[in-house]
Amino acid sequence: MTQVERISLVLAVIGCAAGVVVIPEVRCATGLDSPLECTEGLGATPLFPTLNGAPPSPLARVQDPRVTSISTRFKWIEANQPGFLFQEVPLTWADADSAIATVYVNGGEIPKIRVRVYTGAERNSLLFYYTGSRLDFVHQVSKPSPDKRYEQRFYFDRNRLFRWLGPGNAVIAEGSAGFAENSAYLAQLGPQLLNLAHQALRRGT
């Protein structure tokens, strides 16, 4: 693959009151019954810019120990998720018809937040994985149409993107178009979402 196809997901605008928190399923944990008030905003740069024909580097054969650690944490979260409590929180997302965050809670920790964004027929999801307050991993799934699905994966170390897998698991080399932008954007969005989720949980107590 010589080019990562542009995905039309754009930045979330979090400088708003996001509406009343709802309780969707029976397994829902705490009753968040007050509005989620947001105070911080982000810029307006596309999240997944086109690589302008720059070829991705081949998959590395030697596994980075940071990737191994993140993979272990990811598998633990996915395996234990059925036992987590969760809440759904409406968001305001730029140029989208609607957006909602599902906040997964394990004890006093939020290990995962899933953001679903709906724009016309497009369905986009961003899944954020955390260890404590640290962002580890972001998995992006885009369905621009019912017969098309694209996935991208972003690995973080100390709030900095160090590995980006594009569609087809193509490794996007550091320095490629969009690498620095995605690093800065997701490193900002991930902690903001986590802070908003903790605010929502506190309001429900």
Side-chain angles (χ1 to χ4, degrees):
M1 176 176 289
T2 60
Q3 184 177 5
V4 175
E5 191 167 340
R6 184 181 182 86
I7 298 177
S8 61
L9 187 60
V10 295
L11 291 185
V13 175
I14 308 184
C16 62
V20 177
V21 178
V22 295
I23 302 176
E25 284 95 350
V26 175
R27 289 197 302 121
C28 206
T30 46
L32 301 180
D33 55 3
S34 59
L36 176 63
E37 296 176 357
C38 314
T39 57
E40 305 244 79
L42 296 175
T45 303
L47 177 55
F48 303 113
T50 304
L51 291 183
N52 298 321
S57 62
L59 280 169
R61 293 185 179 181
V62 179
Q63 183 75 298
D64 188 319
R66 296 172 297 178
V67 174
T68 302
S69 177
I70 291 171
S71 177
T72 300
R73 172 69 174 172
F74 169 85
K75 291 175 182 177
W76 183 89
I77 292 172
E78 291 300 299
N80 289 277
Q81 180 177 303
F84 295 165
L85 304 172
F86 62 91
Q87 284 287 352
E88 292 200 342
V89 180
L91 298 175
T92 295
W93 201 273
D95 297 335
D97 297 329
S98 64
I100 192 163
T102 303
V103 180
Y104 294 90
V105 183
N106 181 41
E109 182 187 22
I110 297 175
K112 177 179 176 180
I113 299 175
R114 179 180 64 177
V115 177
R116 288 167 290 171
V117 182
Y118 303 94
T119 307
E122 293 188 22
R123 301 291 182 267
N124 292 285
S125 296
L126 283 168
L127 297 95
F128 295 80
Y129 294 83
Y130 304 89
T131 298
S133 60
R134 184 187 71 218
L135 176 65
D136 291 330
F137 179 64
V138 180
H139 182 200
Q140 186 267 346
V141 180
S142 177
K143 296 187 70 175
S145 63
D147 60 337
K148 290 184 179 180
R149 175 187 173 98
Y150 302 101
E151 297 187 41
Q152 304 199 72
R153 295 167 175 83
F154 303 86
Y155 298 79
F156 283 82
D157 179 23
R158 289 173 290 185
N159 217 37
R160 180 178 177 274
L161 179 66
F162 72 90
R163 182 176 176 85
W164 173 9
L165 297 183
N169 282 333
V171 176
I172 310 304
E174 187 169 359
S176 297
F179 198 100
E181 291 84 352
N182 280 323
S183 180
Y185 168 61
L186 292 172
Q188 183 181 18
L189 179 58
Q192 282 192 345
L193 285 171
L194 187 62
N195 288 336
L196 291 173
H198 278 297
Q199 289 176 23
L201 293 175
R202 285 196 295 269
R203 289 174 185 272
T205 58

